[in-house]
PDB file of all heavy atoms in Angstrom:
ATOM      1  N   ASN A  61      25.264 -10.061  16.260  1.00 97.00           N
ATOM      2  CA  ASN A  61      23.822 -10.035  16.537  1.00 97.00           C
ATOM      3  C   ASN A  61      23.116 -11.064  15.659  1.00 97.00           C
ATOM      4  O   ASN A  61      22.826 -10.807  14.489  1.00 97.00           O
ATOM      5  CB  ASN A  61      23.214  -8.650  16.315  1.00 97.00           C
ATOM      6  CG  ASN A  61      21.797  -8.616  16.887  1.00 97.00           C
ATOM      7  OD1 ASN A  61      21.119  -9.645  16.945  1.00 97.00           O
ATOM      8  ND2 ASN A  61      21.363  -7.457  17.317  1.00 97.00           N
ATOM      9  N   PRO A  62      22.836 -12.263  16.205  1.00 97.00           N
ATOM     10  CA  PRO A  62      22.251 -13.334  15.391  1.00 97.00           C
ATOM     11  C   PRO A  62      20.871 -12.970  14.850  1.00 97.00           C
ATOM     12  O   PRO A  62      20.452 -13.488  13.810  1.00 97.00           O
ATOM     13  CB  PRO A  62      22.166 -14.520  16.361  1.00 97.00           C
ATOM     14  CG  PRO A  62      22.198 -13.922  17.729  1.00 97.00           C
ATOM     15  CD  PRO A  62      23.003 -12.661  17.613  1.00 97.00           C
ATOM     16  N   CYS A  63      20.165 -12.104  15.531  1.00 98.00           N
ATOM     17  CA  CYS A  63      18.809 -11.750  15.116  1.00 98.00           C
ATOM     18  C   CYS A  63      18.797 -10.884  13.862  1.00 98.00           C
ATOM     19  O   CYS A  63      17.787 -10.770  13.184  1.00 98.00           O
ATOM     20  CB  CYS A  63      18.091 -11.024  16.251  1.00 98.00           C
ATOM     21  SG  CYS A  63      18.183 -11.924  17.804  1.00 98.00           S
ATOM     22  N   GLU A  95      21.071  -8.854  22.152  1.00 95.00           N
ATOM     23  CA  GLU A  95      20.449  -9.115  23.457  1.00 95.00           C
ATOM     24  C   GLU A  95      21.191 -10.180  24.259  1.00 95.00           C
ATOM     25  O   GLU A  95      21.352 -10.070  25.466  1.00 95.00           O
ATOM     26  CB  GLU A  95      18.988  -9.532  23.231  1.00 95.00           C
ATOM     27  CG  GLU A  95      18.153  -9.604  24.480  1.00 95.00           C
ATOM     28  CD  GLU A  95      17.972  -8.244  25.149  1.00 95.00           C
ATOM     29  OE1 GLU A  95      18.048  -7.208  24.468  1.00 95.00           O
ATOM     30  OE2 GLU A  95      17.769  -8.230  26.376  1.00 95.00           O
ATOM     31  N   ASN A  96      21.629 -11.221  23.567  1.00 93.00           N
ATOM     32  CA  ASN A  96      22.220 -12.344  24.287  1.00 93.00           C
ATOM     33  C   ASN A  96      23.644 -12.114  24.748  1.00 93.00           C
ATOM     34  O   ASN A  96      24.108 -12.750  25.688  1.00 93.00           O
ATOM     35  CB  ASN A  96      22.208 -13.591  23.395  1.00 93.00           C
ATOM     36  CG  ASN A  96      20.851 -14.243  23.415  1.00 93.00           C
ATOM     37  OD1 ASN A  96      20.320 -14.521  24.468  1.00 93.00           O
ATOM     38  ND2 ASN A  96      20.274 -14.452  22.256  1.00 93.00           N
ATOM     39  N   GLY A 130      15.030  -4.777  15.488  1.00 98.00           N
ATOM     40  CA  GLY A 130      14.128  -5.871  15.848  1.00 98.00           C
ATOM     41  C   GLY A 130      14.520  -6.481  17.180  1.00 98.00           C
ATOM     42  O   GLY A 130      13.688  -6.639  18.066  1.00 98.00           O
ATOM     43  N   CYS A 131      15.806  -6.866  17.308  1.00 97.00           N
ATOM     44  CA  CYS A 131      16.250  -7.437  18.581  1.00 97.00           C
ATOM     45  C   CYS A 131      15.918  -6.425  19.686  1.00 97.00           C
ATOM     46  O   CYS A 131      16.084  -5.209  19.509  1.00 97.00           O
ATOM     47  CB  CYS A 131      17.741  -7.740  18.502  1.00 97.00           C
ATOM     48  SG  CYS A 131      18.323  -8.799  19.837  1.00 97.00           S
ATOM     49  N   ASP A 132      15.486  -6.940  20.813  1.00 96.00           N
ATOM     50  CA  ASP A 132      14.700  -6.216  21.821  1.00 96.00           C
ATOM     51  C   ASP A 132      14.821  -4.694  21.891  1.00 96.00           C
ATOM     52  O   ASP A 132      13.844  -3.974  21.737  1.00 96.00           O
ATOM     53  CB  ASP A 132      15.029  -6.761  23.205  1.00 96.00           C
ATOM     54  CG  ASP A 132      14.564  -8.192  23.387  1.00 96.00           C
ATOM     55  OD1 ASP A 132      14.257  -8.857  22.386  1.00 96.00           O
ATOM     56  OD2 ASP A 132      14.516  -8.656  24.541  1.00 96.00           O
ATOM     57  N   MET A 157      12.332 -15.426  13.897  1.00 98.00           N
ATOM     58  CA  MET A 157      12.958 -16.615  13.314  1.00 98.00           C
ATOM     59  C   MET A 157      11.920 -17.752  13.207  1.00 98.00           C
ATOM     60  O   MET A 157      10.797 -17.639  13.714  1.00 98.00           O
ATOM     61  CB  MET A 157      14.157 -17.058  14.155  1.00 98.00           C
ATOM     62  CG  MET A 157      13.799 -17.580  15.524  1.00 98.00           C
ATOM     63  SD  MET A 157      15.230 -18.174  16.460  1.00 98.00           S
ATOM     64  CE  MET A 157      15.669 -16.734  17.413  1.00 98.00           C
ATOM     65  N   SER A 169      11.709 -19.673  21.663  1.00 94.00           N
ATOM     66  CA  SER A 169      12.860 -18.907  22.177  1.00 94.00           C
ATOM     67  C   SER A 169      12.644 -18.529  23.636  1.00 94.00           C
ATOM     68  O   SER A 169      11.569 -18.082  24.019  1.00 94.00           O
ATOM     69  CB  SER A 169      13.038 -17.605  21.393  1.00 94.00           C
ATOM     70  OG  SER A 169      13.084 -17.818  20.025  1.00 94.00           O
ATOM     71  N   GLY A 202      16.748 -13.991  12.456  1.00 98.00           N
ATOM     72  CA  GLY A 202      15.491 -13.406  12.906  1.00 98.00           C
ATOM     73  C   GLY A 202      15.451 -13.310  14.422  1.00 98.00           C
ATOM     74  O   GLY A 202      16.301 -13.873  15.126  1.00 98.00           O
ATOM     75  N   THR A 203      14.438 -12.622  14.908  1.00 98.00           N
ATOM     76  CA  THR A 203      14.317 -12.368  16.343  1.00 98.00           C
ATOM     77  C   THR A 203      13.623 -13.538  17.044  1.00 98.00           C
ATOM     78  O   THR A 203      13.080 -14.442  16.395  1.00 98.00           O
ATOM     79  CB  THR A 203      13.506 -11.083  16.584  1.00 98.00           C
ATOM     80  OG1 THR A 203      12.291 -11.167  15.842  1.00 98.00           O
ATOM     81  CG2 THR A 203      14.281  -9.856  16.129  1.00 98.00           C
ATOM     82  N   CYS A 204      13.609 -13.506  18.367  1.00 96.00           N
ATOM     83  CA  CYS A 204      12.946 -14.554  19.147  1.00 96.00           C
ATOM     84  C   CYS A 204      11.516 -14.731  18.634  1.00 96.00           C
ATOM     85  O   CYS A 204      10.814 -13.752  18.385  1.00 96.00           O
ATOM     86  CB  CYS A 204      12.926 -14.177  20.619  1.00 96.00           C
ATOM     87  SG  CYS A 204      14.567 -14.170  21.353  1.00 96.00           S
ATOM     88  N   ALA A 210      11.027  -8.615  21.519  1.00 96.00           N
ATOM     89  CA  ALA A 210      11.215  -8.235  20.119  1.00 96.00           C
ATOM     90  C   ALA A 210       9.875  -8.225  19.375  1.00 96.00           C
ATOM     91  O   ALA A 210       9.522  -7.231  18.731  1.00 96.00           O
ATOM     92  CB  ALA A 210      12.188  -9.194  19.451  1.00 96.00           C
TER      93      ALA A 210
HETATM   94 FE1  FES B 601      17.379 -10.900  19.660  1.00 80.77          FE
HETATM   95 FE2  FES B 601      15.615 -12.298  21.340  1.00 80.77          FE
HETATM   96  S1  FES B 601      17.793 -12.277  21.326  1.00 80.77           S
HETATM   97  S2  FES B 601      15.220 -10.873  19.766  1.00 80.77           S
END
Side-chain angles (χ1 to χ4, degrees):
N61 192 332
C63 309
E95 190 65 26
N96 279 308
C131 194
D132 293 15
M157 67 177 94
S169 308
T203 51
C204 292

